[in-house]
């Protein structure tokens, strides 16, 4: 699953160009300094942490399509590798293997891993947050660590894209 997911996410990415909403962050980087990026929202939709990362690339090694997409590629592959392992307490090995394969070949998850938008990162963080909340709520070992992971993943996901909070805060309603 990991090999298939990695291959699908890397295949043809060198030929991709910056499109659609990916330009919003680049326009912000071109006309704003770091303080302005951190303290102002524009009319256009962009992720503040990703724009800060792009600004860091711009100020150091230069912005490339590969550099812009590297965090999302890593998050997309990490989703396939880490999340099924975290399901060990309640899912059998065949179920986890099937889940890993479905995560690996999901067209939407592959696409999100290949863009310079925060969706692959928020997918990983939201999934980690939901698993961490469940483990914290059930009082499993290292309860404080699971609670801290939930808070960190929820905060980072919300900072990347505020819509992710609708998913990561939902366990409070359910439980």
């Amino acid at each position: 699953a990991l090999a298939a997911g990695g291959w699908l996410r890397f295949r043809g990415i060198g030929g991709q160009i910056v499109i659609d909403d990916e330009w919003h962050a680049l326009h912000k980087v071109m006309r704003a300094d770091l303080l302005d990026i951190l303290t102002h929202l524009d009319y256009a939709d962009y992720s503040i942490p990703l724009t800060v990362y792009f600004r860091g690339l711009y100020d150091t090694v230069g912005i490339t399509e590969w550099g812009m997409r590297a965090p999302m590629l890593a998050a997309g592959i990490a989703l396939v590798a880490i999340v099924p392992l975290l399901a060990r307490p309640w899912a059998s090995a065949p179920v986890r293997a099937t889940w890993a394969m479905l995560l690996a070949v999901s067209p939407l998850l592959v696409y999100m891993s290949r863009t310079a938008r925060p969706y692959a990162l928020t997918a990983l963080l939201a999934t980690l947050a939901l698993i961490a909340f469940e483990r914290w709520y059930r009082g499993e070992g290292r309860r404080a660590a699971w609670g801290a992971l939930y808070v960190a993943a929820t905060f980072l996901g919300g900072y990347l894209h505020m819509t992710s909070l609708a998913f990561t805060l939902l366990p409070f309603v359910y439980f």
Side-chain angles (χ1 to χ4, degrees):
L2 191 56
W7 181 79
L8 286 170
R9 283 156 178 79
F10 277 101
R11 183 179 61 110
I13 197 164
Q16 281 190 229
I17 59 171
V18 177
I19 59 170
D20 297 329
D21 287 351
E22 295 170 335
W23 282 104
H24 297 311
L26 289 177
H27 286 142
K28 185 69 174 179
V29 167
M30 289 188 284
R31 68 176 186 279
D33 62 5
L34 183 60
L35 182 62
D36 186 60
I37 293 168
L38 287 169
T39 58
H40 292 84
L41 287 174
D42 281 350
Y43 65 92
D45 173 33
Y46 66 91
S47 171
I48 291 173
L50 278 184
T51 307
V52 168
Y53 169 69
F54 297 160
R55 183 72 207 194
L57 289 176
Y58 178 79
D59 290 339
T60 57
V61 297
I63 295 178
T64 66
E65 286 89 352
W66 275 101
M68 290 174 61
R69 291 184 172 97
M72 281 53 75
L73 278 169
I77 293 168
L79 184 71
V80 176
I82 295 169
V83 171
L85 293 176
L86 291 176
R88 278 183 291 189
W90 63 82
S92 66
V95 169
R96 291 192 325 266
T98 302
W99 189 24
M101 202 59 193
L102 290 171
L103 290 170
V105 300
S106 166
L108 184 59
L109 292 175
V110 170
Y111 172 74
M112 290 188 313
S113 298
R114 297 172 60 146
T115 65
R117 299 288 293 146
Y119 309 127
L121 288 165
T122 56
L124 174 63
L125 290 168
T127 306
L128 289 175
L130 294 173
I131 290 170
F133 186 95
E134 193 273 340
R135 296 260 181 101
W136 169 82
Y137 182 79
R138 303 255 186 249
E140 295 191 11
R142 298 179 299 196
R143 189 168 193 227
W146 288 116
L149 177 60
Y150 170 76
V151 170
T154 298
F155 174 79
L156 290 172
Y159 194 40
L160 282 160
H161 200 290
M162 200 156 330
T163 305
S164 71
L165 293 175
F167 300 99
T168 57
L169 295 176
L170 194 58
F172 286 106
V173 175
Y174 181 79
F175 288 100

